[in-house]
Amino acid sequence: MTKRMVLMLLIAGVIFGAIFGFQAFKSRMIKKYLSSQGVPPQTVSTTKAGFKEWQPELNAVGTLRAVRGADLAPEVAGVISALQFRSGEEVKAGAPLVQLNAAADIAQLESLKAAAELAEVTLQRDQRQLKVQAVSQATVDTDAANLKVAKARVAEQQALVDKKNLRAPFAGRLGLRAVDLGQYVAPGTKLVTLQALDPVYVDFSVPQSALAEVRTGLKVSATADALPGERFEGTIDAIDAKVDPATRNVQVRASLSNPRHRLLPGMFVTVAVDTGAADRRLTVPQTAISFNPYGNTVYVVEDKGKGPDGKPQLVATQRFVTTGATRGDQIAIVSGVKEGETVVTAGVLKLRNGVPVIINNSVQPSDEAAPKPKDQ
């Protein structure tokens, strides 16, 4: 290696050393400047972690059906001669609803009654003659059989006449009238629907994994979008004897109290099943949790004493937490936060460990156990 090459290497080393030295000096000066300026405090909203009564629940969507409900229809054909109800009214069991024209049937009934009376008179007369041996025992037996046949025909015709008068099979609320006066109806034609509305059934499905938690007698509550702010209480009456192999769900039926008849068959409701005794859990709003692959964290606000200006120095400290079940906007904290500690609920994304904060709780995120959508 020649002296010229060595000299060039030395010159290159000096130049690169000067460049790197300048960059390191510049970096130290920038860091020193930033540290002298300080990190500006971040505005956040906070809440205090506290214990709340937590009722374990199993939620599902169900459909209402009447405990007793039917579309009333005649068993026989005929022309409607009288409508004895109004659409939507409450009726008692046995109340007359629709009368079909039964004039011919009633006339036939009277004829059969007359025949039965004649058969009875004949039997009585022959029984008296039998005592004086004027007639045989066979004649009396024939008269008795004829009387039974006559009475059976009367009963058959009476049943046909009764079928022309449709009555309410149970107490409930009538629906809309589906026929008019003078209309001919065939057997099975829907005339009106009748629904018993208190109580009502709610049918819903639960996954097979929840079968151990569900049993008859458990309390349930239901809410309907059509009736905001109202809650209906009831109990589980029955659990289906099989699991649906397609969905792996099992059908459950509960009865709900409905004294004001606000719930109607066919409505869908949200059902909550109380699956155990209520317990106390430490909760915070879900917005306070940062969910990460390496662990969930929260920021806890700590008071570091008074600063140079005499004001309290509040600093956000990041902590790893173990979370539990969720309920609405709330989430249970198993470990990592203690009761009464101040937790950041809004502004989490702009924080890092040790950043000073300013608390402004004029606007708070939702912290409801059963949040409801609000129309804007």
Side-chain angles (χ1 to χ4, degrees):
M1 184 179 295
T2 63
K3 293 182 178 180
R4 184 176 180 180
M5 292 179 64
V6 172
L7 181 62
M8 290 178 64
L9 289 174
L10 290 174
I11 294 174
V14 171
I15 293 174
F16 282 111
I19 293 174
F20 287 123
F22 176 75
Q23 291 294 335
F25 174 76
K26 182 180 178 181
S27 177
R28 286 196 300 270
M29 293 300 296
I30 291 174
K31 290 181 179 179
K32 184 177 180 180
Y33 173 78
L34 291 177
S35 62
S36 65
Q37 295 298 312
V39 179
Q42 302 294 325
T43 302
V44 296
S45 65
T46 62
T47 189
K48 290 188 178 297
F51 284 95
K52 295 181 180 178
E53 290 294 327
W54 194 297
Q55 174 63 58
E57 289 183 346
L58 180 66
N59 296 309
V61 174
T63 302
L64 298 179
R65 67 179 303 271
V67 173
R68 287 176 293 177
D71 291 336
L72 304 185
E75 295 184 54
V76 295
V79 176
I80 296 176
S81 60
L83 292 170
Q84 299 162 295
F85 69 92
R86 294 189 305 273
S87 296
E89 74 173 328
E90 301 282 344
V91 295
K92 296 180 179 179
L97 302 177
V98 178
Q99 177 66 57
L100 301 181
N101 189 347
D105 300 302
I106 293 175
Q108 180 68 19
L109 176 62
E110 294 301 324
S111 174
L112 293 174
K113 284 182 177 179
E117 291 174 0
L118 177 60
E120 186 172 8
V121 170
T122 302
L123 174 62
Q124 292 174 355
R125 182 177 63 247
D126 288 346
Q127 285 175 338
R128 289 193 298 267
Q129 292 180 350
L130 178 63
K131 292 179 180 180
V132 296
Q133 302 298 315
V135 296
S136 65
Q137 181 64 45
T139 301
V140 174
D141 293 342
T142 301
D143 292 340
N146 291 337
L147 178 59
K148 289 182 179 180
V149 172
K151 287 183 176 180
R153 288 174 178 172
V154 169
E156 181 183 16
Q157 188 64 22
Q158 183 64 58
L160 180 61
V161 172
D162 292 341
K163 289 178 180 180
K164 294 293 183 77
N165 184 16
L166 184 66
R167 296 178 178 272
F170 51 85
R173 178 188 291 179
L174 293 170
L176 300 179
R177 176 167 54 87
V179 292
D180 296 308
L181 188 66
Q183 180 177 339
Y184 173 83
V185 292
T189 302
K190 176 185 173 183
L191 305 180
V192 66
T193 185
L194 177 63
Q195 304 288 329
L197 300 179
D198 186 26
V200 293
Y201 285 143
V202 55
D203 293 340
F204 58 96
S205 297
V206 298
Q208 66 176 19
S209 59
L211 274 177
E213 304 174 21
V214 178
R215 62 184 182 276
T216 57
L218 285 182
K219 293 183 178 180
V220 302
S221 61
T223 57
D225 291 346
L227 304 170
E230 296 189 50
R231 184 175 291 271
F232 301 87
E233 306 295 334
T235 56
I236 292 179
D237 286 347
I239 302 173
D240 203 353
K242 67 175 183 178
V243 175
D244 187 340
T247 63
R248 305 304 177 188
N249 291 336
V250 64
Q251 195 80 0
V252 180
R253 173 170 292 174
S255 58
L256 301 175
S257 177
N258 187 30
R260 294 193 295 161
H261 297 179
R262 299 278 283 163
L263 297 176
L264 298 178
M267 293 175 63
F268 85 90
V269 294
T270 302
V271 182
V273 182
D274 296 344
T275 56
D279 58 359
R280 296 175 72 247
R281 298 189 186 183
L282 186 68
T283 66
V284 296
Q286 292 196 48
T287 56
I289 307 296
S290 295
F291 298 95
N292 303 295
Y294 53 82
N296 302 329
T297 63
V298 298
Y299 280 96
V300 177
V301 177
E302 297 180 351
D303 189 351
K304 297 298 184 180
K306 294 184 179 181
D309 55 359
K311 296 182 179 180
Q313 286 185 321
L314 302 178
V315 176
T317 302
Q318 189 179 43
R319 290 189 192 172
F320 285 94
V321 294
T322 303
T323 57
T326 60
R327 181 182 66 172
D329 298 320
Q330 302 169 355
I331 187 169
I333 301 296
V334 178
S335 64
V337 174
K338 297 180 181 179
E339 181 183 11
E341 288 190 307
T342 302
V343 176
V344 177
T345 56
V348 175
L349 296 179
K350 57 186 177 182
L351 298 180
R352 66 177 186 271
N353 198 31
V355 170
V357 295
I358 299 174
I359 296 177
N360 181 359
N361 289 333
S362 58
V363 178
Q364 283 279 10
S366 178
D367 187 25
E368 300 293 332
K372 298 180 177 61
K374 297 179 181 179
D375 294 331
Q376 301 294 333

